[in-house]
Amino acid sequence: MRSLVVTLFFCLFTLISSAQKSEYAVAAIADSLKENANAVVRLNQTDITISSQRSMTIKTQRIVTVLNEKGSNAVNAYEDYGKNSSVNSIEAIIYDAFGNEIKKVKRKDFKDQSAVDGGTLISDNRYLFLEYTPISYPYTVVYNSETQTSTTAFIPTWMPLEGYYISVEKNVLNIKYPASLGFRKKEYQFLDFNIKKIVDSETQLSYVAAAILAQKSEDYSPSFNEIYPSLLMGLEYFNLEGVDGNAKTWKEFGKWWGDKILFGTEDIPEETKVKMKALVGNEKDAIEIAKIIYKYLQQKVRYVAIHEGIGGWKPMLAKDVDRLGYGDCKALTNYTKALLKCVGVESYYTKLYGDSYKMDIRSDFVSQQGNHIILAIPTGDSYTWLECTSQDNPFGYQGTFTDDRDVLVIKPEGGEIVRTKVYADEGNTQNEKGTYTIDENGHFSGSVLIHSEGSQYASKTRIEHLQPTEKEAHYKEYWDNINNLKLGKMALTNNKEAIRFTEDVQLSALNYATVSGNKLIFAVDAFNQSATNVKRIRNRKNSFQIQRGYLDTDEIEVSLPAGFAIEFLPSNFELNGKFGAYKTEIIKKENNKLLYKRSLFLNKGKYSNKEYDDYRLFMEQIAKNDNAKIILTKN
């Protein structure tokens, strides 16, 4: 009898163990969730408890199956901590493809590293992270953590779907909060996904998302946050690194930021004030005064990143920047504001998202947003914007890092959402004028003068800072349609007053033209062939976006070799549509010369997925015509 009981117990234990293992087996994942996926989030449960204005605890349980090497980043087993936050517990268990345990990782086995990187000078933040090199794929990580912080200004954004090529079995959010703190939420892009709201009361909110398939990345798509679901959350009464705040509107939020975060940071030494007034002299125009101060700033200071305590949000004292000669975007903007103030020019600290991909402050949800600071100088009904971290930017030029987006301007009376400078498509110009000669052997020699303005200026100015070998590599890539390219004399001019960048380049190449018997064959457009390769995407799901439009104009004189006649000349070509306009013209001139004229205007905008193939065809026609060949026959 005892033997039978032992046998039954052993069988039951084996059955339970087997069931536990199979829970994490890859075979248990639905085939639909594996399709297009590098990783599958089996479970991501976030339990947030806000017990007071100065206390928030976050528990995370995360189970991720990594299907291949590209999916390893989806594990996300790490936690930040600092002076006002701590990691109460953290652990992980790793399983193989069959659900067998491979390794247990305790807190002492997590890597503990400073948040200082190559671009950060000072930081007291650290983070714990799982460092695991898999023996094979697939594998599964079960991760558990609990963190605590006194900062409640940031409630983590809930992302039911975390990124491309990641599918989700189940994602759960539970959050509890006192009714007195004024909890707020905003749902984005929920409609097309399996997301259910379970609880929504004065003190609690719960969601469950399930069976979300992996999404493919599609070229020209809007940002991930614009097309996939997210939940923003915030408190009316919050705490930021020890500073209490409350705000229902952007005006209130900006007022709090100015009074509590910026207050007392603008004092500068008396001798600096005297120096600024001497620099300005008798100048009365506010913008001309600002130009003088901005030039002084660019010559005096350099940018470094600082993330120490509330220094992640509060700027260094202006007097410290004055003494040390460095600071981050907050510090340098605040310092410039202080310099302008002492010479009677009003300016405003401005929060925004800085990136070449345009991203707005979400104006419909009042909260701490943004990753960058610039300065706004009021000029009538608009503003002049200063990028105070740059030692090279022309005065008032925004380029592609801060242009055309909603930002929060912090004025003495409060915050205001404003749009930064919009560079019109027709103002983003590249104008080329040049000449080239083809000799009887098909060899090429020529020169070209290129003027770039608007957003195209921003993309060109980096060239002047390249080393000679880097410049050569740049131009060989830019003119990759010219084989055997050899660069000659080169002059680069950066006119910051006109905000125009000029390239004057001489170049040559052997065998540019193909020799076929007594014929020479070559593309007339040598200097500006369209490099836009629009990928074919069958059954495209997402809308697409052209972030910035532009206007390219080219006028090139071509000298043909003596003793050759034109057998074939490409026809003049014109293309017009919703995406822009393109035109080429070839004019015969005396002395065996041609004049090639080209213009391409592209409209920025958002377009439906149904229009993507039209855009691809539009660009293909341009690329095809840019490569149109002329045929010469020897007399």
Side-chain angles (χ1 to χ4, degrees), residues 472-488:
E472 182 175 1
H474 163 77
Y475 282 113
K476 285 188 174 180
E477 181 180 358
Y478 182 72
W479 285 310
D480 60 359
N481 58 297
I482 303 177
N483 294 325
N484 311 310
L485 177 67
K486 185 177 180 181
L487 296 171

Side-chain angles (χ1 to χ4, degrees), residues 48 50 56 58 149-157 233-235 238-241 253 256-257 312-313 351 353 367-370:
I48 303 173
I50 302 171
M56 179 168 64
I58 303 174
T149 179
S150 62
T151 291
T152 54
F154 308 102
I155 302 174
T157 299
M233 296 173 283
L235 299 175
F238 53 85
N239 180 274
L240 176 62
E241 301 281 354
F253 184 86
W256 170 79
W257 197 276
W313 313 108
K351 298 164 66 66
Y353 287 104
S367 63
Q368 166 55 33
Q369 298 182 47

Side-chain angles (χ1 to χ4, degrees), residues 10-21:
F10 178 76
C11 290
L12 182 61
F13 178 78
T14 304
L15 184 63
I16 292 171
S17 298
S18 176
Q20 288 175 335
K21 289 177 182 177

